[in-house]
Amino acid sequence: MFHERQPATVAHALTVDVEDWYHVCGAEQAAGERSGHQGRVLHTTSLVLDLLRSCGVRGTFFVLGSVASRYPELAPRIVAAGHELASHGWSHRLVTELSPQEFGDELLQTADLLEHQTGQRPRGFRAPRWSLSRQTIPWAFEILAQQGYRYDSSLTPLAMIGDPAGPRLPHRIETAAGTLWEIPPLVTSTPLGNLPTGGGWGFRFFPLAMIRHTLQVYQRQGGPGVLFMHPRELDPDGPRLRLGLLREFATYGPQSSAAGRLAALMRSFSFRPLGEQVALWQTAS
């Protein structure tokens, strides 16, 4: 586990899962391209880029391959703004639903496309809905290492969607094909368990002071705290799938924009892309 204690120099990370409003695991069959819904990802990603530019922050964008294919101007626009490209897979299917061959093919298809569009090959990966597991699909980490990935950000220390007893800080994962850095998203530890304050509905629901304090805790522990978001979170009036009350809240959160909170944190803390952070760790190790 990574425990370098440099509170004055620790930088956090702002990460973006670049997918459209209808990309909800298990629900895409009834939405998106298959039923003629109009995509909004170009508009909403522009909102994200404008926000980061106004705050002077460079982030990491985990781009869905099918989105990059449908909108070939999107990935070049992200790179031109100075941000890091990473992979979110191709189909937005849970990795647990893919065979090793399918997972490897999706990774390769996405990486080849992003490199063709931008000249940059992704070195980081995040699975849809945090669907990697060292216990049930350890082969996925070996495939990532085989294909030259340097880090993953898919293991969340939360109940239901991850391992609540898992590490909160970055740590190495050893595979037969090489070593990966695992960089979990930010959570707030409480006596009742970890809270999902790093992104999604939790980022907009819990007090901003709690999130700010959690970032300070990560700094003291050697961080970074990884915030994550989807472009749709800056589009509170955009369309929503009908998923049922609880799942709809968990997917979309409160009907409000995350922009104000993100801007406040980006102006209070230092941020750098995950790939640059990993390069620093590798240089120091």
Side-chain angles (χ1 to χ4, degrees):
M1 191 181 300
F2 183 66
H3 286 298
E4 184 180 357
R5 296 181 180 273
Q6 296 179 316
T9 59
V10 167
H12 301 296
L14 190 286
T15 65
V16 185
D17 293 356
V18 181
E19 56 194 52
D20 223 320
W21 64 271
Y22 52 79
H23 282 119
V24 179
C25 291
E28 288 98 341
Q29 287 296 123
E33 300 99 331
R34 297 175 179 83
S35 61
H37 283 311
Q38 183 177 0
R40 294 176 67 86
V41 70
L42 287 178
H43 167 66
T44 53
T45 303
S46 292
L47 296 177
V48 177
L49 293 173
D50 289 345
L51 176 64
L52 269 61
R53 181 172 60 252
S54 71
C55 296
V57 166
R58 292 181 301 118
T60 296
F61 285 68
F62 292 93
V63 180
L64 197 63
S66 58
V67 167
S69 177
R70 187 179 184 190
Y71 304 103
E73 68 271 41
L74 184 58
R77 186 184 302 174
I78 292 168
V79 170
H83 304 290
E84 177 192 10
L85 276 186
S87 173
H88 198 35
W90 185 273
S91 66
H92 207 254
R93 290 173 61 193
L94 301 179
V95 180
T96 50
E97 297 176 350
L98 301 174
S99 69
Q101 181 67 50
E102 288 172 327
F103 179 59
D105 289 347
E106 282 212 4
L107 285 176
L108 192 60
Q109 185 179 12
T110 301
D112 285 349
L113 177 65
L114 293 178
E115 185 174 28
H116 173 73
Q117 291 179 342
T118 69
Q120 293 189 14
R121 196 166 188 85
R123 297 304 180 191
F125 175 75
R126 175 174 288 157
R129 211 173 73 189
W130 316 104
S131 56
L132 288 193
S133 169
R134 296 181 69 177
Q135 287 71 42
T136 60
I137 51 171
W139 47 261
F141 299 94
E142 184 168 345
I143 292 173
L144 285 166
Q146 285 173 346
Q147 293 201 16
Y149 283 84
R150 296 172 184 155
Y151 70 89
D152 172 70
S153 183
S154 304
L155 298 186
T156 181
L158 291 171
M160 305 297 290
I161 57 172
D163 178 6
R168 294 187 306 110
L169 293 177
H171 54 282
R172 286 185 174 98
I173 293 180
E174 301 293 339
T175 80
T179 301
L180 287 171
W181 280 99
E182 179 61 42
I183 314 175
L186 179 138
V187 296
T188 297
S189 296
T190 76
L192 299 178
N194 294 331
L195 298 179
T197 50
W201 69 267
F203 181 80
R204 284 172 285 161
F205 179 79
F206 293 107
L208 179 60
M210 175 188 289
I211 301 170
R212 189 185 298 273
H213 174 72
T214 303
L215 286 168
Q216 292 168 342
V217 170
Y218 271 68
Q219 272 190 198
R220 291 195 295 269
Q221 294 176 340
V226 177
L227 302 179
F228 67 92
M229 65 171 297
H230 303 85
R232 62 177 176 253
E233 293 173 51
L234 299 192
D235 187 25
D237 297 323
R240 295 183 173 202
L241 298 178
R242 297 305 173 198
L243 305 170
L245 186 62
L246 289 179
R247 190 178 181 199
E248 196 167 326
F249 181 83
T251 299
Y252 299 108
Q255 193 89 17
S256 60
S257 173
R261 288 185 162 212
L262 286 166
L265 295 174
M266 287 191 289
R267 290 174 176 139
S268 299
F269 296 92
S270 296
F271 289 80
R272 70 165 60 97
L274 286 177
E276 292 184 11
Q277 184 65 70
V278 168
L280 289 173
W281 295 338
Q282 291 177 329
T283 300
S285 61

